[in-house]
Amino acid sequence: MRRKHNNGVIEKSKDRLEILEEIERLEREGRFDVDPEKDPPTIVLLPENVDYLKTKSSSRVKTKVANRIGEHFLDELLRSNKLIIKDVKGLENLNKVKGGAIITSNHFNPFDAFTIEKVFRMSDHAKTKTLYKVIREGNYTNFPGLYGFFFRNCDTLPLSSNRKTMAEFMKAVHTILQEGDFILIYPEQSLWWNYKKPKPLKNGAFKFAVKNKVPVVPIFITMEDSDLVGTDGFKIQEYTVHIGEAIFQEEHKTDKENVEIMKEKNFNLWKQVYEDFYQIPLEYTTITEE
């Protein structure tokens, strides 16, 4: 349990404070794709240890069980106010998408994937489509307990440092998108706890979209303090989910050009949402050499 002061206020977690300090340092250094938390060495994911498309009956059973448990887990998070979704804006933009798509989101909390999952279930696609989540290799191979079970079985697509495994990953991405399902990708490629700004984006999500001729649906989640304090001593955040209009590749542009165009449009939309919601310009503390 988190220690309380004499006035009953929960003391802020030392680990959280250290992570916030590390985030400040990484922003100053412009290292936006580095995770501030020190994860253990990753176990390499080999092709024989993952069944991306659930071709085995045992995989399908585990997925069914995991998703059922995951639904109850998500409902409990919402009921207990450990996850608070205050508002969803632009759901019609998700509903208008026909066929498969890449969904992008900012990444600032382990529970933000549950937030996107909840929003997806609110959409017109919920009954007929599946939302897959691209995850880190280590989350799939290293994570213990219930979260590890979710990471391995709740419609996840783990990345891998093994080339043969990544070849299978790419085939699965193609099949999933061509079948009209959705894939959630965090294009910032890092998780910065409760970081409100959009971080610079990597190319991966947009390469997948261009290669498979599907749109990108950009989602940016903003945060506000609630009246509740979590066990870590910090106020639980209330989320507003902003869903932008789908971004399509442009005709008569090369694949490389379209990757850059889609990435820029995605970032600009996030930037606009950030500035409109928080009523401040997007500025970083990054120190640049003159």
Side-chain angles (χ1 to χ4, degrees):
M1 288 181 64
R2 182 70 26 213
R3 188 162 64 85
K4 290 186 178 181
H5 293 297
N6 292 335
N7 60 5
V9 176
I10 299 174
E11 183 181 2
K12 288 186 175 179
S13 161
K14 183 171 179 261
D15 290 344
R16 284 276 190 248
L17 290 169
E18 288 176 354
I19 287 168
L20 290 174
E21 284 184 12
E22 181 68 4
I23 288 171
E24 288 179 6
R25 185 179 71 83
L26 291 170
E27 183 180 354
R28 285 196 304 272
E29 296 175 359
R31 300 167 64 204
F32 291 96
D33 57 354
V34 176
D35 280 324
E37 301 183 41
K38 301 297 181 277
D39 294 316
T42 297
I43 299 170
V44 177
L45 178 61
L46 301 176
E48 59 268 24
N49 294 329
V50 60
D51 182 13
Y52 284 113
L53 295 175
K54 306 296 181 265
T55 57
K56 300 174 185 174
S57 58
S58 59
S59 300
R60 293 193 291 275
V61 169
K62 286 180 183 177
T63 296
K64 190 172 183 179
V65 171
N67 283 336
R68 191 173 298 156
I69 296 172
E71 284 180 30
H72 292 302
F73 184 80
L74 173 54
D75 290 341
E76 179 58 24
L77 287 177
L78 294 165
R79 188 197 64 76
S80 61
N81 286 324
K82 291 178 181 175
L83 172 62
I84 304 173
I85 301 175
K86 181 180 179 181
D87 196 8
V88 178
K89 299 179 182 294
L91 189 62
E92 68 278 3
N93 291 325
L94 181 56
N95 289 337
K96 283 191 289 189
V97 175
K98 307 300 180 188
I102 299 289
I103 293 177
T104 61
S105 174
N106 52 324
H107 198 23
F108 53 86
N109 191 294
F111 287 168
D112 54 38
F114 286 114
T115 303
I116 302 297
E117 183 73 48
K118 176 63 176 177
V119 169
F120 189 78
R121 290 181 194 171
M122 294 166 60
S123 77
D124 294 344
H125 304 295
K127 292 183 179 179
T128 58
K129 302 298 181 183
T130 300
L131 174 65
Y132 291 83
K133 284 78 66 176
V134 171
I135 64 171
R136 290 176 58 250
E137 181 175 41
N139 285 353
Y140 190 90
T141 58
N142 288 37
F143 234 85
L146 181 63
Y147 289 130
F149 181 67
F150 287 158
F151 280 137
R152 285 183 287 277
N153 298 290
C154 282
D155 298 313
T156 55
L157 298 171
L159 298 164
S160 176
S161 51
N162 180 279
R163 288 177 64 183
K164 289 184 179 178
T165 311
M166 279 306 294
E168 295 304 312
F169 172 92
M170 295 300 290
K171 289 179 191 173
V173 166
H174 176 75
T175 299
I176 288 164
L177 293 174
Q178 297 312 306
E179 289 179 350
D181 290 312
F182 292 72
I183 300 177
L184 169 63
I185 300 178
Y186 298 111
E188 298 167 320
Q189 289 187 13
S190 63
L191 189 165
W192 286 14
W193 186 75
N194 280 5
Y195 186 74
K196 294 181 177 179
K197 303 174 191 177
K199 289 172 277 176
L201 307 184
K202 301 289 188 176
N203 287 343
F206 310 99
K207 283 184 176 179
F208 295 153
V210 170
K211 182 179 176 63
N212 293 285
K213 295 180 170 41
V214 298
V216 168
V217 181
I219 293 179
F220 191 76
I221 302 172
T222 53
M223 291 170 264
E224 299 170 276
D225 286 347
S226 72
D227 296 329
L228 303 173
V229 176
T231 56
D232 58 9
F234 288 85
K235 287 193 173 182
I236 295 173
Q237 298 297 295
E238 296 179 339
Y239 299 157
T240 298
V241 182
H242 307 260
I243 307 170
E245 291 187 8
I247 301 168
F248 293 86
Q249 53 194 296
E250 298 181 8
E251 291 184 19
H252 312 303
K253 299 285 187 182
T254 66
D255 286 357
K256 187 176 180 181
E257 288 171 334
N258 265 314
V259 167
E260 289 301 322
I261 289 167
M262 295 176 84
K263 181 174 70 170
E264 184 177 3
K265 285 182 177 180
N266 192 130
F267 183 82
N268 287 340
L269 182 136
W270 284 10
K271 178 176 181 287
Q272 190 68 53
V273 170
Y274 172 86
E275 294 181 339
D276 289 347
F277 186 85
Y278 296 113
Q279 292 295 293
I280 52 174
L282 175 60
E283 295 176 343
Y284 301 110
T285 61
T286 307
I287 299 170
T288 56
E289 294 182 6
E290 294 296 332

